[in-house]
Amino acid sequence: MTPLFSSCLASSARRAAACGLAAALACAAAPAQEAAPASPQATLRTAVHYVVPPFVGGAKVRTPEAVDTQLAQALADQLHARLQTTPINILKLGGGAQPATAEGAGSSFTIPAQADLALVSMPDGATPPASTVAIDTKYVSRPMAIMRGDTAIKSWEQLKGHTVCVSEGGLYAGTLAAQYGAVEKIYKAPADSLLALRTGGCDAAVHDDVMLKELLKLPEWKKFSATLAPPANAKSSLAFIVPASQAETIAAAKDLVKQWRRQDYLNALNKKRVQDIAFEVYLDQVIPDCH
């Protein structure tokens, strides 16, 4: 057996073991849901900023950037309902300090008529629609960039003219070109964006800082430890936005968020997602190198 092949097998074994451990951790940390059959008539219609496409047989497995669908599914389970997601035009947060919307900073938005509630990232200073209740999930998003350690890029402004990889399920597509003059390359999922960074397809990759900070703890990402920290005011909080008339949904969402806090669910979820994303990158980059 050649040293390279042996190394690949050993690395694969370590990654598989790490993924298995992370999955077990996430399962242990996940909030317990009451076991009850979902009524075929009960559907929780939830507006999210990115509707995850259905998996197609034969396609690569990809972990989406946003956690919205997983959190919305947890609420649907709490209500013994079937989840149905629909897209919404959200308040996007740029790579810098100012929130941006089509109507202007701090403006409100409308829950689509075909949805019962929304799950959206609210930039600081943004207000939910009138006659709604906002339940903060405590999942906070901030833009962060990672690059090769030998990069000359030291500030967000220096992204001008440079290629930046983002994923279509994230909050930052379109904002980096508009604010900094970066050349954006939009990929379907974080694994594709990060793979492009590793193979020289872009100068930087921008994703949520909570995800990237966990990713950089992995030894195989040591060469990509150069970062652009989140700008001071570039923060948004993921929240359920529920019409005030929906008392049962509001109570269920509040109870669910309390469970997540007690069980540190969001932290465990992030760790598992990072392990999954890292493994997806590994499969695409390292495994072919073993042949």
Side-chain angles (χ1 to χ4, degrees), residues 3 18 44 47 49 59 64 94 101 116 122 145 163 198 215 218 239 259 267 269 272 286:
L44 188 68
H49 89 269
T101 72
D116 302 309
M122 300 284 291
T163 303
R198 289 187 69 92
L215 183 77
L218 302 176
Q259 291 182 48
N267 184 45
L269 176 62
K272 179 184 183 301
V286 180

Side-chain angles (χ1 to χ4, degrees), residues 23-55:
L25 173 65
C27 289
Q33 305 292 347
E34 296 180 24
S39 166
Q41 287 77 39
T43 299
L44 188 68
R45 305 177 305 166
T46 306
V48 294
H49 89 269
Y50 178 71
V51 176
V52 179
F55 179 74

Side-chain angles (χ1 to χ4, degrees), residues 8 50 52 56 100 125 128 145 179 182 184 188 195 206 222 224:
C8 287
Y50 178 71
V52 179
V56 178
Q179 189 158 358
E184 294 185 15
K188 287 190 175 296
L195 180 62
V206 175
K222 186 176 181 180
F224 298 87

Side-chain angles (χ1 to χ4, degrees), residues 101-133:
T101 72
E103 296 82 12
S107 65
S108 188
F109 63 95
T110 302
I111 298 175
Q114 65 270 31
D116 302 309
L117 72 155
L119 179 58
V120 296
S121 290
M122 300 284 291
D124 280 355
T127 57
S131 302
T132 66
V133 175

Side-chain angles (χ1 to χ4, degrees), residues 93-99 123-125 141-143 230-236:
L93 185 66
Q98 299 301 320
D124 280 355
S141 300
R142 299 180 182 88
N233 298 322
K235 182 181 82 170
S236 60

